[in-house]
């Protein structure tokens, strides 16, 4: 224990003037602070350029949005970082080493917060600058509100076709995929032909692009002139084509979910007198459903986006309707509206996937 001549010591147990026994100095915060300040300055420049491109000359709002607002947003963390750095130096000089380290950590955290804010503002401003540069050429081409509103009603009605195809294909793909997974996992060597057939189907249809399969089914089946098969509706053909592709993906999800369940549960259920189908129905499938709910929903999101591929066979879905408007107006804002609609549909589902994954992780940790 280091004691001063007056008999006092610091709260850290070290004498303020005892440099030989002083702990290592905390890492300098000047680098973080300098980097945050430089990025903040560049961000203000980009924001001002964005405001100048988006607003007419002479507008006071250009100064507010381009300089004042970003400076206020990033200025708070920068000021906190500077104060923390100065306080750290003062505390260290006074021999209060713990307080110096705490102040230095706060300064670094504030600098990192400023870096995050400025990076976000810079990216948004650069995107806005791209949209409004050259007299708003990008905005007029892709984000023209007049054309988007004019096409919204017809695109919304056509989007129902996409939803119908997605739901129908998902139902078929889930049922057929489960059959494929069960067939692949049938016990005993006697089922090897069934196993080989299921494996071959999964490998082949996972390798065929969805757009190619849609083209083959929707155009090929009517050409065969086979009774019933060649007389279907194009939408039904699209449902079948997508179901053929995604049943292969779902089969692998089912297989992974089944194999994730400990085999001891199957053995215990069989020892209690349950038959193999009952074990699958009452023991395996309920647990598997919980395990694969999130990845299955992710696959369904991909299926929804692939419904736009039916444009190759002439089905008037949302994308096809948007293309008609774009061709008539010589503007792509209608297609951008389709993008917004698909995003609005898929974002809640992706958040649900995140929630299911988090809940599954929490449940496993609890166990």
């Amino acid at each position: 224990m280091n004691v001063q001549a007056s008999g006092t010591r610091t709260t850290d147990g070290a004498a303020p003037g005892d440099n030989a026994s002083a702990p290592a100095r905390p890492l300098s915060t000047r680098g973080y602070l300098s980097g945050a300040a430089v990025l903040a300055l560049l961000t203000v420049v980009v924001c001002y350029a964005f405001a100048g491109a988006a607003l007419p000359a002479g507008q006071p709002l250009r100064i507010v949005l381009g300089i004042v607002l970003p400076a206020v947003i990033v200025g708070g963390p920068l000021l906190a970082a500077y104060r923390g750095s100065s306080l750290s130096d003062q505390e260290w000089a006074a021999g209060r080493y713990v307080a110096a380290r705490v102040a230095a950590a706060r300064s670094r955290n504030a600098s990192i917060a400023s870096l995050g804010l400025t990076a976000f503002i810079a990216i948004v401003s650069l995107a806005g600058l791209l949209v409004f540069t050259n007299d708003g050429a990008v905005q007029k081409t892709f984000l023209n509100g007049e054309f988007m509103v004019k096409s919204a009603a017809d695109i919304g009605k056509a989007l129902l076709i996409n939803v119908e195809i997605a739901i129908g294909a998902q139902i078929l793909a889930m049922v057929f995929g489960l059959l494929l997974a069960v067939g692949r996992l049938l016990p005993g060597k006697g089922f090897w032909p069934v196993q080989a057939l299921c494996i071959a189907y999964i490998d082949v249809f996972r390798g065929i692009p969805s757009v190619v399969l849609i083209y083959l089914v929707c155009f090929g089946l009517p050409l065969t002139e086979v009774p019933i098969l060649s007389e279907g509706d194009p939408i039904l053909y699209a449902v079948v084509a997508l179901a053929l592709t995604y049943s292969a993906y779902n089969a692998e999800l089912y297989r992974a979910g089944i194999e994730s369940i400990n085999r001891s549960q199957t053995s215990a259920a069989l020892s209690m007198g349950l038959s193999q189908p009952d074990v699958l129905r009452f023991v395996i499938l309920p647990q598997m459903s919980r395990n694969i709910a999130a990845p299955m929903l992710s696959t369904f999101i991909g299926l929804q986006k692939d419904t736009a591929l039916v444009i190759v066979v002439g089905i008037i879905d949302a994308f096809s309707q948007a293309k008609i408007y774009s061709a008539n107006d010589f503007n792509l804002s209608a297609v951008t509206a389709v993008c917004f609609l698909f995003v609005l549909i898929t974002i809640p589902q992706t958040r649900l996937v995140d929630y299911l994954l988090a809940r599954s992780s929490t449940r496993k940790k609890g166990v």
Side-chain angles (χ1 to χ4, degrees):
M1 182 179 298
N2 298 311
V3 182
Q4 294 179 338
S6 60
T8 61
R9 66 176 184 273
T10 66
T11 56
D12 302 278
D18 193 355
N19 295 326
S21 61
R25 189 178 181 86
L27 294 176
S28 175
T29 60
R30 302 295 183 184
Y32 290 94
L33 184 58
S34 300
V38 170
L39 183 58
L41 180 61
L42 293 176
T43 299
V44 171
V45 173
V46 173
C47 287
Y48 185 73
F50 162 57
L55 298 172
Q59 281 273 359
L61 194 59
R62 294 176 65 175
I63 303 297
V64 175
L65 293 180
I67 298 178
V68 177
L69 184 60
V72 169
I73 292 176
V74 303
L78 271 179
L79 183 59
Y82 175 77
R83 288 178 176 175
S85 179
S86 300
L87 180 60
S88 176
D89 294 338
Q90 294 173 11
E91 296 289 356
W92 185 266
R96 294 185 286 270
Y97 304 122
V98 172
R101 291 183 180 278
V102 171
R106 290 176 178 173
S107 176
R108 284 192 294 272
N109 290 337
S111 298
I112 292 172
S114 177
L115 287 170
L117 281 173
T118 51
F120 172 79
I121 296 173
I123 292 172
V124 172
S125 299
L126 284 173
L129 183 61
L130 175 64
V131 169
F132 289 101
T133 193
N134 193 22
D135 196 26
V138 174
Q139 182 269 330
K140 293 175 182 177
T141 303
F142 296 98
L143 298 169
N144 191 305
E146 178 184 352
F147 292 122
M148 296 175 76
V149 171
K150 183 175 72 173
S151 61
D154 289 334
I155 290 176
K157 293 177 182 177
L159 184 66
L160 296 177
I161 301 297
N162 296 87
V163 174
E164 179 182 345
I165 294 173
I167 294 176
Q170 179 67 5
I171 293 174
L172 290 179
M174 290 179 67
V175 174
F176 190 36
L178 180 59
L179 295 177
L180 288 170
V182 172
R184 181 170 181 173
L185 296 175
L186 286 174
K189 296 182 178 180
F191 288 107
W192 73 263
V194 178
Q195 297 172 358
L197 184 62
C198 293
I199 293 173
Y201 178 92
I202 292 170
D203 290 345
V204 169
F205 281 89
R206 282 199 304 170
I208 300 177
S210 299
V211 64
V212 175
L213 200 58
I214 291 173
Y215 192 87
L216 289 174
V217 173
C218 294
F219 283 147
L221 288 182
L223 291 176
T224 62
E225 298 183 356
V226 176
I228 301 177
L229 286 180
S230 61
E231 300 170 0
D233 185 87
I235 294 178
L236 179 60
Y237 289 146
V239 169
V240 172
L242 287 172
L244 290 174
T245 298
Y246 278 87
S247 61
Y249 292 107
N250 290 345
E252 289 299 278
L253 289 178
Y254 284 129
R255 182 173 70 91
I258 292 173
E259 292 181 344
S260 67
I261 300 171
N262 198 302
R263 293 184 179 181
S264 62
Q265 298 192 35
T266 302
S267 301
L270 291 173
S271 66
M272 295 175 62
L274 272 69
S275 64
Q276 193 71 41
D278 287 339
V279 172
L280 181 65
R281 177 183 176 186
F282 297 110
V283 178
I284 304 298
L285 291 185
Q287 297 182 72
M288 177 207 66
S289 300
R290 291 193 296 267
N291 292 341
I292 69 169
M296 182 67 73
L297 185 55
S298 295
T299 304
F300 179 49
I301 293 173
L303 171 58
Q304 293 173 61
K305 294 184 291 185
D306 276 356
T307 58
L309 298 175
V310 299
I311 190 175
V312 300
V313 293
I315 297 176
I316 305 300
D317 70 325
F319 183 35
S320 301
Q321 191 68 61
K323 278 195 64 179
I324 294 173
Y325 273 96
S326 297
N328 293 334
D329 300 330
F330 297 98
N331 190 279
L332 295 177
S333 297
V335 179
T336 306
V338 175
C339 298
F340 286 150
L341 289 175
F342 271 98
V343 168
L344 289 176
I345 291 174
T346 56
I347 282 181
Q349 298 176 67
T350 54
R351 297 286 73 78
L352 179 59
V353 169
D354 293 341
Y355 167 74
L356 293 175
L357 289 173
R359 189 179 69 173
S360 176
S361 177
T362 301
R363 183 169 59 246
K364 290 179 180 178
K365 291 179 179 178
V367 175

